[in-house]
Amino acid sequence: MNDFEIEKNKEIDIPFEDITVKNEATEQGEVKDLGESAEQQSSRREKRRKSRNTKNGVIVFLIFAALWGGAVYYGYNYVKDYIDTLTANIQQTNAMQTSELREEISLLGSEIRNLRGSMENAGLVISNTSDVQTRIDEKLVELENQLKELEHSLNILKEAPNAP
Amino acid sequence: MLRKLGVFILFLLAPALIVFLVAREAPAKAEAMAVSYGEVREELQLLKRDTEEMGSAVFSLVYTVERQQELFMQQDERLTELVNLSSEQKQLSDDIYEQKILHMLGPAHYAHLSDRTEIKIFSLNELGYRGYIAKVKLFDPKAFRVALAHDTLGKLETTSSAAKRYDAVLAINGGGFYSEIRNGTSYAQLIGNTVIDGSLVEPFNGYPGDLFFVGVNKKGQVVGNTPRRHEDIMNLNPAHGVSFTPILLQNGQKMIVPEKWKTTRQPRTIIGKYANDDLIMIVVDGRQGDWSVGVTLERLQDKLLELGVKDAYNLDGGGSSAMYYNGKLLNRPSDGRERPVVNNILVMP
């Protein structure tokens, strides 16, 4: 507020009681003590009215600014809460889905490990089967030789003397 | 005034409008912020399904392979049973054959058993002749050998002397020979071919007659033929062997015996084999009316067949026939004493 406005306010800042008293005194014949003309009085009233209007404007402006500030504050908080809630929900949803995915991947990993174990087991069994097959082949050769020997022995037996 | 009110309301509602607009766009932006897991989940589900299918396939494979292995194990066990059964049957067959042979030979008088040989001695008592039979199993082919008299060509030595010199448990006289004078001294000349330690002791004798060669190969089996060439002998892979005539049996069949040998009863020495490759050695005494007249080769062929002999060869007989066992001479030589011979067949303990 500059010096002009302060001076102006000083002029305007006349107590209402004084004005009323002065008006009453004028009506009772004490006007001549003041020595003012009607024009001067009208100008003074105009000034007072202007002053009153300015004062009301300031008050309205302040109220308006307060309301606006309140609306902004409320809106800010509302939007902030709203966005925070949305973000939190999204984070929570993401986290839950990530957790579910992690669990599913973990299960899948477990299944793959089981599968690997089964395949290793299958490999071992196949290896053992191969060993057994080799052994069977050897046994077949052995049996063939044994049967040849038996055949030879039976042929020998055919040549045995006819003893009881 | 209305204009001021409108401006007032506009200004008043401006933040609310902004809030409204921001709030209106926020859900869409928030939706955009949300991570889309849909596709990942779908891929994951596909992967999971593929993994499960692969798992099923692997389990099925394992099951099949395990069944296969079980089947192989059963086959293995069955084959083992068959091998064992076959082995038992062979053993049974061998035992029956052995029993039949032993039954024909009668009770054994002497027996010797070691890691290298099994020897059983039987007496032979037939109408008009007597003798001894030795049945020999060779577990070690090196237990059989032929020894030249004093290990020298041209020399003579009795069967007992040769056996004692080599510490043999069993011995019979060997191949034929004749004596001649060489450089003023008597020289015992081998008939046919003699093999010792796998080699002929003299150059191959290609005598065109029916001289056979008989011996034991490096597997301990009795082998023999009528050689016309050096290879005929070497093809038999002989370790030790001697020569004489004639062959009596081959593959269980009687061979033609020359007339001059056929009907004369003489002391005899025979070597042969059974079908199971057991050796048989026979010595028959003769020329002793009160003890044994001797036997013809024809009759001996019958006897050998009766005993179940498969191959048989007639070695040097007459006064040369001798069988030594475990330190003593078993038979009675027709000369009244042992005749020195050019070579002997020995069986080591």
Side-chain angles (χ1 to χ4, degrees):
Chain A
M1 197 179 288
N2 54 35
D3 294 341
F4 173 74
E5 282 176 335
I6 292 167
E7 192 62 32
K8 210 174 167 185
N9 284 340
K10 276 181 185 175
E11 286 178 5
I12 292 167
D13 196 15
I14 299 164
F16 187 70
E17 293 81 358
D18 291 350
I19 296 167
T20 307
V21 170
K22 282 175 182 176
N23 283 341
E24 284 172 358
T26 307
E27 284 171 4
Q28 291 170 7
E30 293 172 4
V31 177
K32 56 184 178 193
D33 295 336
L34 294 171
E36 292 176 345
S37 68
E39 282 182 5
Q40 284 175 327
Q41 284 178 355
S42 176
S43 174
R44 196 176 294 130
R45 274 199 297 273
E46 184 65 22
K47 280 181 183 177
R48 281 178 190 159
R49 193 182 58 81
K50 280 183 181 176
S51 172
R52 212 166 30 243
N53 284 344
T54 306
K55 194 176 178 182
N56 288 338
V58 169
I59 290 165
V60 167
F61 175 78
L62 288 174
I63 292 168
F64 174 77
L67 281 173
W68 193 85
V72 168
Y73 180 73
Y74 174 78
Y76 170 76
N77 279 331
Y78 175 79
V79 170
K80 185 175 180 293
D81 285 348
Y82 184 70
I83 289 173
D84 283 352
T85 306
L86 275 179
T87 309
N89 285 343
I90 289 162
Q91 281 178 342
Q92 196 173 340
T93 306
N94 284 349
M96 282 171 65
Q97 286 186 340
T98 306
S99 173
E100 280 176 23
L101 276 179
R102 190 176 291 125
E103 199 173 326
E104 284 183 20
I105 289 169
S106 173
L107 279 173
L108 195 59
S110 175
E111 279 186 26
I112 288 171
R113 278 193 294 278
N114 287 341
L115 197 59
R116 190 176 66 183
S118 298
M119 288 177 85
E120 284 171 357
N121 185 36
L124 280 175
V125 174
I126 288 169
S127 175
N128 288 341
T129 305
S130 176
D131 290 346
V132 176
Q133 198 170 6
T134 306
R135 206 162 63 227
I136 285 174
D137 290 344
E138 290 169 0
K139 283 273 169 60
L140 281 171
V141 173
E142 189 183 349
L143 180 62
E144 189 182 353
N145 292 335
Q146 197 72 50
L147 287 173
K148 280 179 185 169
E149 284 183 20
L150 179 60
E151 186 186 15
H152 180 65
S153 178
L154 289 171
N155 286 333
I156 289 170
L157 188 58
K158 279 184 195 169
E159 297 180 36
N162 291 321
Chain B
M1 185 63 185
L2 279 173
R3 195 176 63 84
K4 284 182 179 175
L5 187 65
V7 170
F8 169 75
I9 290 169
L10 188 64
F11 269 92
L12 190 64
L13 293 180
L17 190 62
I18 292 167
V19 165
F20 172 74
L21 289 173
V22 170
R24 192 164 163 269
E25 288 181 7
K29 288 185 177 175
E31 283 295 322
M33 280 170 66
V35 179
S36 176
Y37 289 101
E39 287 183 7
V40 176
R41 185 167 282 118
E42 277 178 19
E43 289 293 325
L44 206 58
Q45 288 298 327
L46 277 175
L47 184 60
K48 193 175 178 182
R49 196 157 55 243
D50 288 348
T51 307
E52 281 172 358
E53 283 174 5
M54 193 189 288
S56 299
V58 169
F59 287 135
S60 174
L61 175 69
V62 170
Y63 176 75
T64 306
V65 170
E66 280 176 349
R67 285 281 305 149
Q68 190 75 18
Q69 189 188 28
E70 197 179 333
L71 198 64
F72 280 175
M73 295 291 274
Q74 286 172 357
Q75 285 177 347
D76 186 32
E77 284 176 17
R78 187 75 188 126
L79 278 171
T80 306
E81 284 173 15
L82 284 173
V83 168
N84 291 338
L85 188 64
S86 175
S87 177
E88 285 170 13
Q89 291 299 316
K90 180 192 174 297
Q91 190 59 48
L92 184 65
S93 172
D94 290 348
D95 289 347
I96 292 171
Y97 182 76
E98 183 80 7
Q99 284 170 13
K100 282 178 173 270
I101 290 172
L102 291 175
H103 181 82
M104 296 305 294
L105 292 171
H109 287 292
Y110 308 104
H112 167 83
L113 179 64
S114 72
D115 293 341
R116 303 177 73 191
T117 54
E118 182 195 80
I119 300 169
K120 288 179 178 171
I121 306 291
F122 305 88
S123 62
L124 181 62
N125 289 311
E126 296 291 320
L127 190 62
Y129 67 93
R130 297 167 193 257
Y132 288 91
I133 300 173
K135 182 177 162 299
V136 180
K137 279 184 188 294
L138 285 178
F139 305 130
D140 176 7
K142 290 178 181 173
F144 180 98
R145 70 165 295 128
V146 170
L148 285 177
H150 302 291
D151 297 328
T152 309
L153 285 169
K155 299 285 183 181
L156 295 169
E157 184 180 27
T158 62
T159 304
S160 297
S161 170
K164 286 174 183 169
R165 196 159 56 81
Y166 275 93
D167 289 328
V169 65
L170 173 71
I172 58 172
N173 62 294
F177 66 97
Y178 59 91
S179 294
E180 61 184 9
I181 302 298
R182 286 189 188 176
N183 300 323
T185 56
S186 177
Y187 185 90
Q189 176 60 49
L190 292 161
I191 290 177
N193 298 283
T194 299
V195 171
I196 293 178
D197 292 328
S199 303
L200 286 165
V201 297
E202 288 180 326
F204 176 72
N205 183 345
Y207 180 72
D210 292 331
L211 285 176
F212 64 75
F213 171 82
V214 64
V216 166
N217 66 13
K218 288 165 186 173
K219 292 180 181 175
Q221 299 164 323
V222 173
V223 289
N225 61 13
T226 304
R228 300 297 177 207
R229 299 171 303 154
H230 177 256
E231 291 75 23
D232 291 342
I233 293 178
M234 288 303 135
N235 287 341
L236 298 172
N237 197 22
H240 294 271
V242 296
S243 286
F244 204 57
T245 190
I247 297 175
L248 301 177
L249 300 177
Q250 260 193 338
N251 291 319
Q253 300 294 317
K254 285 183 184 179
M255 302 303 287
I256 296 170
V257 176
E259 283 299 324
K260 58 179 179 180
W261 300 82
K262 208 176 199 175
T263 52
T264 52
R265 302 178 69 170
Q266 297 290 348
R268 306 289 181 189
T269 298
I270 310 294
I271 189 169
K273 72 168 187 179
Y274 285 104
N276 66 351
D277 284 323
D278 282 2
L279 271 74
I280 182 169
M281 298 172 180
I282 301 175
V283 167
V284 175
D285 287 332
R287 299 174 186 168
Q288 300 167 74
D290 57 340
W291 170 250
S292 174
V293 181
V295 64
T296 65
L297 290 181
E298 199 170 37
R299 196 166 169 192
L300 198 52
Q301 282 177 313
D302 292 334
K303 184 63 185 173
L304 288 166
L305 285 176
E306 186 186 316
L307 292 174
V309 175
K310 189 176 179 184
D311 294 342
Y313 303 83
N314 178 52
L315 295 176
D316 188 17
S320 300
S321 290
M323 180 178 280
Y324 168 93
Y325 176 76
N326 203 20
K328 64 179 181 183
L329 190 69
L330 294 180
N331 69 313
R332 297 182 187 181
S334 60
D335 293 349
R337 58 182 176 82
E338 273 188 88
R339 178 187 292 178
V341 293
V342 73
N343 57 26
N344 289 284
I345 293 170
L346 312 176
V347 179
M348 304 303 162

